[in-house]
Every structure is written in structure tokens, then in C-alpha cells.
């Protein structure tokens, strides 16, 4: 049976305690506890049969929490998680960001779009990032650069190159350059999303 990988993005109201309760309820075996002093602690579990690994990522720099699930039971773990706690789906995230009326919601929505997007969502995700790259808010444009790093899709390189060349804010241009260097050095993601 092929190994699958998926990401499940949690809504803001889901706490770390909720995640611990889920792990207990689903009888996951604890493998590793993340370093709480890290900007991005990662806790790791396995399903009882050892066929699937579940990583809980607290991505503090962008204020998001999500699971990375990899293994033969991936689909059943994803379904159980989505039934247990509020999560972002790509359509939910896209609708949220398109209707956001303040900066905080725009940032949450943008990161939720990037983290929940998969290959079938590419066109809509790229279109949304391009639209947000035209924001007058430098923080939103910076978030577009960061979100692009999570996706790594080749069709976003031209967008980041344009930000690198033309953004009026030095740190936004500089961070776009760092991302471009990393994408070129390490290659971009394949056509399949998480």
C-alpha cells in the first residue's frame, strides 16, 4: 500500500491541551516531545500499528498549528482529526481570506490558504497569493513571501522575483531574495502538495 502524506491545519481555538486529548483518545504512541523553547516545537506520535506518523507543529512565527500525517493509515487519521476538532479546509480558508476585513484575519486566512492547499487547489491558491501581493500593507506582502515558502510551487517563483525587484520596503525585498535563493538552492516542490 502506498505511503500518503497530508497536512491538517487547526483553527485558532484548538489548544495544545486539545491535541494531547486527541492523542490520548486515539491511542497514539508518543515518540518525541518537541523543544518548548523552539520557535516551532514538533511533537511526534505513531498509530498503534506503527504504520502512520503524526507530527503536531506549533509554527509560532506565523501563529499557526497543524498536523503532518504520513503513512499507510493517513486518510483514516485525517478523517478522525477533522471529526474531532475544528480544522481549515482549503475552501474554508479561501473564503475566509477573501472576506477578511482586518489585517489579523487576512494573515490568518493567507497562512491557512497556504497550509491547506494541495495540488488540485493550486490555481486558486496562486491567484489569491498574487492578489494579496498587491496589498498596500507591507506585512501582508511579507506574509505572501512566507506563504510561498510553504508551498514552494514553481509558478510562484515569478511572483517572488517581482516582489524582490519592486517592493518599496527593504526587508520585504530582502526576504523575497532569501526565499528565491533557497528555492533555487534546494529546488522547488513537486507538483504534488502535502
Amino acid at each position: 500500500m502506498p505511503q500518503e502524506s497530508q497536512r491538517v491545519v487547526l483553527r485558532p481555538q484548538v489548544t495544545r491541551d486539545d491535541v494531547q486529548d486527541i492523542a490520548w483518545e486515539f491511542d497514539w504512541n508518543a515518540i518525541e516531545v518537541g523543544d518548548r523553547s523552539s520557535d516551532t516545537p514538533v511533537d511526534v506520535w505513531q498509530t498503534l500499528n506503527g504504520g502512520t506518523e503524526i507530527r503536531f507543529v506549533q509554527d509560532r512565527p506565523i501563529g499557526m498549528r497543524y498536523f503532518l500525517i504520513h503513512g499507510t493509515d493517513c486518510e483514516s487519521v485525517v478523517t478522525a482529526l477533522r471529526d474531532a476538532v475544528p480544522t481549515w479546509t482549503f475552501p474554508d480558508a479561501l473564503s475566509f481570506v477573501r472576506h477578511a476585513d482586518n489585517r489579523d484575519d487576512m494573515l490568518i486566512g493567507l497562512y491557512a490558504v497556504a497550509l491547506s492547499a494541495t495540488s488540485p487547489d493550486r490555481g486558486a491558491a496562486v491567484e489569491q497569493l498574487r492578489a494579496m501581493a498587491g496589498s498596500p500593507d507591507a506585512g501582508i506582502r511579507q506574509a505572501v513571501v512566507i506563504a510561498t515558502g510553504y508551498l514552494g510551487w514553481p509558478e510562484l517563483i515569478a511572483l517572488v522575483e517581482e516582489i524582490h525587484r519592486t517592493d518599496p520596503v527593504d526587508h520585504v525585498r530582502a526576504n523575497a531574495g532569501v526565499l528565491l535563493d533557497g528555492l533555487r538552492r534546494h529546488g522547488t516542490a513537486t507538483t504534488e502538495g502535502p
Side-chain angles (χ1 to χ4, degrees):
M1 181 176 239
Q3 297 275 311
E4 293 184 56
S5 293
Q6 289 192 46
R7 184 167 25 217
V8 175
V9 186
L10 300 174
R11 296 277 187 148
Q13 67 265 35
V14 180
T15 67
R16 185 171 183 279
D17 287 341
D18 294 332
V19 170
Q20 294 296 329
D21 291 346
I22 289 168
W24 180 263
E25 180 182 332
F26 294 160
D27 289 326
W28 293 341
N29 291 320
I31 304 298
E32 181 181 330
V33 175
D35 177 0
R36 296 291 166 245
S37 65
S38 165
D39 279 346
T40 311
V42 178
D43 296 336
V44 182
W45 293 274
Q46 272 186 341
T47 53
L48 276 179
N49 67 9
T52 301
E53 180 180 84
I54 303 104
R55 293 177 168 266
F56 172 59
V57 180
Q58 296 179 81
D59 199 334
R60 292 177 182 147
I62 64 167
M64 301 294 284
R65 293 183 310 282
Y66 48 91
F67 287 100
L68 297 171
I69 302 116
H70 177 77
T72 55
D73 300 325
C74 182
E75 199 59 47
S76 64
V77 171
V78 168
T79 299
L81 282 170
R82 290 197 184 282
D83 289 345
V85 292
T87 62
W88 289 105
T89 63
F90 179 76
D92 294 338
L94 191 60
S95 177
F96 183 86
V97 76
R98 286 179 174 169
H99 293 96
D101 60 3
N102 65 64
R103 184 179 200 249
D104 288 345
D105 284 350
M106 286 179 157
L107 291 171
I108 290 168
L110 174 60
Y111 290 132
V113 162
L115 291 170
S116 65
T118 60
S119 281
D121 308 315
R122 282 175 96 124
V126 168
E127 178 184 320
Q128 186 62 46
L129 266 65
R130 285 189 178 147
M132 295 184 83
S135 172
D137 185 327
I140 299 293
R141 296 191 311 274
Q142 172 70 22
V144 168
V145 171
I146 293 167
T148 298
Y150 285 88
L151 294 167
W153 293 337
E155 58 265 49
L156 288 169
I157 290 175
L159 175 63
V160 178
E161 286 173 338
E162 183 171 339
I163 292 171
H164 178 60
R165 279 191 318 273
T166 65
D167 199 275
V169 178
D170 290 343
H171 77 271
V172 175
R173 281 193 317 273
N175 288 326
V178 169
L179 176 61
L180 286 170
D181 183 54
L183 290 173
R184 289 179 181 133
R185 186 181 318 256
H186 302 290
T188 57
T190 64
T191 57
E192 294 302 314

